[in-house]
Each structure stands twice: as C-alpha cells, then as structure tokens.
Amino acid sequence: MTFQMFDMEVFICLLSGYIGSSNLFPEPLNQEDEKIFLEKLKNGDDEARNILIERNLRLVAHVAKKYSTTNIDQDDLISIGTIRFN
C-alpha cells in the first residue's frame, strides 16, 4: 500500500481502523532502510516521503491507542499525530 498523495481523511480512517486491528499497516522500516529513505526525501523524492509516512503510521496509532481510556476523541489524537507527517 503506497500513498500517491497525502490525504488526511484517508490516514485518519486507516488509523482508526488500526486501533481495532494490529495487522492493517506494514511493518516499520529497519534502521538502515529508514536512513536510505530519509536521504532520498532530502533530495526531493516524493515516493520516499510516502513510504516514510506509511511505515510510521503504526506509531501514531499505537500512541493514540494508549489514550483509549480517556475522554479524548481518538480521531482528534490521530489527526494531531498525522499532522506532523504532512
């Protein structure tokens, strides 16, 4: 699954779905691959940016899930977490 265009609503839906299912997103990049994609991103590679976003959405959902027992809306937490990727 690769995102051709950053769409906040799609990410929120995916992350909301992740809260109930741990298999929705691909595994995070290993350290070596992450360094490679970060270097490509510095050189303006949009595909590298998309891959980095995709592979780190799991972290946003994981953090949001920790707040599931609070009165904070999960969609708000996910939105805030994904804004940084944009």
Side-chain angles (χ1 to χ4, degrees):
M1 163 170 67
T2 302
F3 298 103
Q4 298 302 319
M5 182 177 233
F6 185 80
D7 185 341
M8 185 66 73
E9 290 180 28
V10 171
F11 284 139
I12 291 170
C13 289
L14 289 172
L15 285 169
S16 294
Y18 174 76
I19 298 298
S21 169
S22 61
N23 295 324
L24 188 59
F25 295 111
E27 292 294 317
L29 295 170
N30 62 43
Q31 189 174 13
E32 183 180 322
D33 288 341
E34 188 167 311
K35 285 179 183 180
I36 291 168
F37 284 110
L38 286 170
E39 190 61 38
K40 288 180 178 183
L41 177 63
K42 286 179 186 177
N43 294 324
D45 186 332
D46 286 337
E47 183 63 22
R49 177 184 171 272
N50 292 337
I51 290 169
L52 287 164
I53 291 171
E54 178 183 297
R55 297 299 185 99
N56 284 289
L57 289 174
R58 182 184 298 260
L59 174 62
V60 173
H62 176 74
V63 172
K65 195 173 186 179
K66 289 185 176 191
Y67 290 89
S68 64
T69 59
T70 67
N71 291 333
I72 301 171
D73 184 58
Q74 292 293 298
D75 287 342
D76 287 344
L77 288 173
I78 291 168
S79 294
I80 292 166
T82 56
I83 287 171
R84 186 67 180 148
F85 291 138
N86 193 7

